[in-house]
Amino acid sequence: MTANGTAGTGTDSAHDSAVDERLRRWRLVLGGGGADGTGRGLTGQDAAMDGALSALYGAGKSGGGRSDRSAGLGASAPSVARWLGDIRTYFPSSVVQVMQRDAISRLGLSALLLEPEMLEAVEADVHLVGTLLSLNKAMPETTKETARAVVRKVVDDIEKRLATRTRATLTGALDRSARISRPRHRDIDWDRTIRANLKNYLPEHGTIVPERLIGYGRAAQSVKKEVVLCIDQSGSMAASVVYASVFGAVLASMRSIATRLVVFDTAVVDLTDQLDDPVDVLFGTQLGGGTDINRALAYCQSQITRPADTVVVLISDLYEGGIRDEMLKRVAAMKASGVQFVALLALSDEGAPAYDREHAAALAELGAPAFACTPDLFPDAMAAAIEKRPLPVPDEPVARPYDL
């Protein structure tokens, strides 16, 4: 009954339920204890979720009387494996991947990834692959097969998502790059044909007389373009290395594109002969170490035989440890010879990257603006380079990192 003696409605019950749910969520966020102000305890699955969060994010007593949310994730494989199983039960995959990354960085669990039972328990993603690659040289033989299986799963998922669109986009670009003047009807490029014949517009008939037809050429089986992927394998570029290796394998599968893949730190390694399997490429890299972009570009330049038909893609944050002026001279020389030069600060979904702004500005002065690119839009950037169209970069590509 209400204060005036009338029966209460469902409104009060709904309000109480909403308040209770709000307190529950705040309790999970704040970690419990008398100082969190919720006065709410947890039971059942909520208590288990809170335990999983506390194991990772608990930091003990903090200022202001905040509750003690002590860390309980011990550095032993059984306890970590149980915790990994718990978070996969209580949280969606995207959240699990974030928590795994936090566990590796906050609690120093990288060494445990060298144990097969741990690898079998984790949620595989690009960041985990990067961590495994950085541990590659320290990995015991008993773990390597499991690690390869984890990397294979991630690579296959990426390739399944990106390969079809990449091939379709670049095949179209290759066809359009070989235009012909007497096309068959199905090969007519109507947009360009209309623009070329606007002077022949007949207003009384509302039509254009197409005196000149412009068509798409059909790419033959011979090599039409050469692509050189030059990839910085410093530790900060881990995700970019993974995506670039997959794209390299996809490009290598296209007969009309001759693809070369080169990775570098202070040394240069040509992995072209392993492009039939991106997993082999990835395990041929060695994340970490210094950076010598000039040396890498010198090697790539030495491999170019058809400059006018070559696209060089440098994937690097541009923190150069080599000779800066020589690096810029090589880029200028390649562009002057007809090479299409693309500089990507990152090839990943991680958002705006950190990069050397001075070097990026210098490349922009040479007509090679540096920008970041997501994997989904990499095919469009490559298509623009193949067709020698302006790259899809912002008006001020160096003022701030740009995601296509």
Side-chain angles (χ1 to χ4, degrees), residues 1 32 69 91 106 168 230 244 247 269 323 341 351 359 374 394 399:
M1 299 289 286
R69 193 174 191 177
F91 302 101
R106 290 167 63 97
C230 185
F247 277 118
V269 180
I323 306 173
F341 190 89
H359 289 162
T374 63

Side-chain angles (χ1 to χ4, degrees), residues 23 28 56 58 60 107 130 149 158 163 180 212 220 222 225 283 292 309 315 363 381:
L23 288 174
L28 285 168
L56 175 56
L107 303 179
I158 293 173
I180 54 179
R212 177 184 168 214
S222 60
K225 293 289 181 179
F283 277 95
D292 193 337
D309 295 317
I315 304 173
L363 286 176

Side-chain angles (χ1 to χ4, degrees), residues 107-184:
L107 303 179
L109 301 181
S110 296
L112 290 179
L113 294 177
L114 301 179
E115 302 184 24
E117 62 268 27
M118 277 291 297
L119 285 178
E120 292 170 356
V122 295
E123 185 85 17
D125 68 348
V126 169
H127 302 281
L128 177 64
V129 170
T131 301
L132 290 176
L133 295 179
S134 69
L135 297 170
N136 184 21
K137 301 304 179 184
M139 196 174 291
E141 290 299 323
T142 54
T143 306
K144 285 188 175 180
E145 281 306 309
T146 307
R148 286 185 72 89
V150 171
V151 173
R152 173 75 62 192
K153 180 181 183 302
V154 175
V155 165
D156 287 349
D157 288 345
I158 293 173
E159 191 166 5
K160 189 181 301 180
R161 174 165 66 93
L162 300 173
T164 299
R165 181 170 175 272
T166 299
R167 292 190 184 99
T169 300
L170 297 190
T171 297
L174 290 165
D175 286 348
R176 289 188 293 272
S177 68
R179 286 189 164 79
I180 54 179
S181 59
R182 298 182 64 184
R184 292 172 292 183

